[in-house]
Amino acid sequence: MIKLGVIGFGSRISSIVKAVVAHDPEFHVTGVVDPDERSARKRLPEADRDEVKFYPSLASLVKRGRPDALLIGTRCDLHARYAIAAAKTGLPLFLEKPIATTLRQARGIERAWRDAKSEVVVSFPLRVSHLCEEAKQRIDAGAVGRVEHLLATNYVSYGNVYFDRWYRDYQITGGLFLQKATHDFDYLSYLAGSPIIRVAAMMTQGRIHQDKTLEPSGGNPDVAYYPEIGTPITGMNEDSSSALLEFATGAKGVYTQVFYTRGKAEQRGATLSGLHGTLQFDWYDNNLRVVPHAIDTVPESYQPPEGFEHFGGDAVLAANFSDVVLGKARSRTPIKAGLKSVYACLAARKSAQTGRFVNVEQVTDL
Ligand SMILES: NC(=O)c1ccc[n+]([C@@H]2O[C@H](COP(=O)([O-])OP(=O)(O)OC[C@H]3O[C@@H](n4cnc5c(N)ncnc54)[C@H](O)[C@@H]3O)[C@@H](O)[C@H]2O)c1
């Protein structure tokens, strides 16, 4: 039996645990840290539900429960604190994104994991999804030549989640670059084979999503009213936000995320181009296309298998975590990837707030 210790047994980590157990039934949750024991216990796999012990802290979970691996699934603002504590345990870790919400937290993680003896699997399902992997293989094989430009879009069809659930609390999320673009900056950097080094960003807040408590009559048809979502002054999630990206290779990119689109208007994917070709993919269309620029060449179209959580990424993450715990593989989404993405997101937020280009802090210690 492989014993899992989980910190924050909420909705997201319960689906990851399910995928880990589906991959290898030898994995069992045996210890949990979560102040809401009642709700957490209901989410536990049935086989473990009555046996699992709850602990008041990560230290006591590790000392008394002796797990073989840890998973951190709290809300965003607590990831870094627990990840720093987990570094000292020497145990493999599955860590939810965004792995930090402030520069101070991110630097703390970088210091803590510098000499750590174990590996982290950061929860970036898009990077390991079928479509992204197929794109990566083609790009590395030279399908477009040297990548010069990346264009990525994210028209979110379920953006209400960021205004009517706990995500509306800006103090917890730190805004939607950290919450959402952390995935996109990660996969773009992965495909470009290069970190993002400079960002210029803009955002719109409070034009569409407005605080209902401040406007109880709610009369404007172009406005969506939600309770207690803050204001641009107190801090609030964006209606939309965009960033110009410069990569260390010299490639340039642009990314846009929009949170009021609904239904079939959804889009998430990228177009990468170089002198020799253009590669496009979209997760909702579940399609990848490579168009060579040479005259008379036939474009390639590819459709990966459909119908998986996060476009197949969650199952791959769970399998990779299981392999890391058993010492059979290296992490495909290491702590460095989580940090690089957080530094880029923080630069984007700062740029949007100040109207200036912002250099992205680079990971040096790992
Ligand atoms: N990688 C992805 O694709 C993806 C998808 C969805 C959510 N997420 C991320 O997962 C995280 C959790 O989201 P969720 O929807 O599961 O939230 P949730 O509220 O369902 O889960 C959070 C859990 O943490 C517990 N908790 C609260 N305070 C705690 C503390 N001090 N110590 C330990 N546990 C504590 C809560 O009781 C709850 O059980 C978020 O950061 C979110 O951004 C990632």
Side-chain angles (χ1 to χ4, degrees):
M1 175 167 84
I2 310 293
K3 297 195 282 180
L4 299 177
V6 184
I7 298 103
F9 204 93
S11 121
R12 167 67 184 162
I13 215 71
S14 65
S15 72
I16 288 292
V17 164
K18 210 167 150 190
V20 172
V21 174
H23 176 74
D24 184 345
E26 279 300 301
F27 283 71
H28 288 270
V29 179
T30 55
V32 168
V33 179
D34 195 313
D36 186 357
E37 177 172 342
R38 235 178 108 185
S39 310
R41 209 175 268 287
K42 277 194 217 144
R43 294 193 187 99
L44 281 162
E46 233 170 86
D48 305 331
R49 197 165 292 160
D50 299 330
E51 306 301 320
V52 171
K53 293 203 165 46
F54 278 70
Y55 298 92
S57 66
L58 187 149
S60 62
L61 163 70
V62 171
K63 191 163 174 223
R64 293 194 274 137
R66 303 223 160 268
D68 299 302
L70 297 173
L71 299 93
I72 296 174
T74 60
R75 293 179 183 174
C76 319
D77 54 331
L78 296 176
H79 294 164
R81 184 195 304 174
Y82 281 121
I84 290 167
K88 297 188 198 86
T89 66
L91 296 172
L93 172 67
F94 184 93
L95 179 57
E96 258 318 323
K97 53 52 57 176
I99 70 166
T101 57
T102 66
L103 264 184
R104 197 189 156 100
Q105 289 181 354
R107 288 175 183 150
I109 292 184
E110 193 170 341
R111 273 193 305 275
W113 281 87
R114 185 171 39 204
D115 302 317
K117 304 272 181 296
S118 54
E119 284 205 52
V120 180
V121 174
V122 176
S123 187
F124 281 146
L126 290 188
R127 170 199 282 239
V128 298
S129 66
H130 301 292
L131 210 45
C132 191
E133 267 310 312
E134 293 287 336
K136 177 72 173 160
Q137 282 168 22
R138 285 164 178 74
I139 286 161
D140 288 355
V144 304
R146 188 176 69 195
V147 175
E148 289 296 322
H149 192 270
L150 302 92
L151 162 70
T153 49
N154 189 2
Y155 285 85
V156 180
S157 62
Y158 51 89
N160 57 299
V161 162
Y162 303 103
F163 299 92
D164 62 13
R165 306 237 186 112
W166 64 261
Y167 292 94
R168 71 179 182 273
D169 188 339
Y170 186 85
Q171 304 313 317
I172 294 177
T173 64
L176 297 177
F177 279 119
L178 282 162
Q179 181 51 230
K180 183 60 55 189
T182 189
H183 292 291
D184 306 78
F185 289 174
D186 173 65
Y187 86 73
L188 288 171
S189 171
Y190 176 60
L191 291 179
S194 173
I196 298 166
I197 57 166
R198 199 161 68 118
V199 182
M202 282 192 190
M203 63 183 164
T204 303
Q205 294 167 306
R207 279 174 61 85
I208 289 195
H209 300 96
Q210 289 186 17
D211 200 315
K212 193 172 171 52
T213 40
L214 304 177
E215 185 63 65
S217 60
N220 186 339
D222 282 323
V223 168
Y225 296 97
Y226 293 93
E228 295 167 348
I229 59 171
T231 70
I233 305 294
T234 61
M236 73 184 300
N237 289 334
E238 304 99 273
D239 298 331
S240 68
S241 41
S242 305
L244 291 175
L245 309 168
E246 182 179 0
F247 294 82
T249 52
K252 307 289 188 296
V254 51
Y255 167 75
T256 286
Q257 52 182 9
V258 175
F259 293 93
Y260 47 81
T261 33
R262 293 293 179 267
K264 292 288 167 212
E266 65 193 1
Q267 274 183 42
R268 198 172 199 179
T271 303
L272 289 89
S273 53
L275 177 63
H276 302 298
T278 298
L279 180 150
Q280 294 174 307
F281 65 90
D282 185 281
W283 277 285
Y284 292 113
D285 288 348
N286 198 39
N287 187 40
L288 181 150
R289 215 168 102 117
V290 182
V291 184
H293 291 170
I295 297 168
D296 292 339
T297 47
V298 184
E300 180 206 353
S301 189
Y302 170 79
Q303 264 103 25
E306 284 192 28
F308 301 101
E309 276 299 309
H310 280 120
F311 316 105
D314 281 358
V316 179
L317 279 180
N320 181 227
F321 180 58
S322 150
D323 288 347
V324 167
V325 173
L326 299 174
K328 293 200 284 197
R330 306 294 306 269
S331 170
R332 293 178 62 181
T333 52
I335 193 83
K336 191 169 181 178
L339 280 171
K340 283 188 336 196
S341 174
V342 163
Y343 285 137
C345 292
L346 289 169
R349 188 178 68 185
K350 187 168 173 195
S351 174
Q353 286 167 342
T354 59
R356 293 170 191 273
F357 277 89
V358 176
N359 290 329
V360 178
E361 184 152 322
Q362 297 300 304
V363 181
T364 51
D365 274 355
L366 290 163

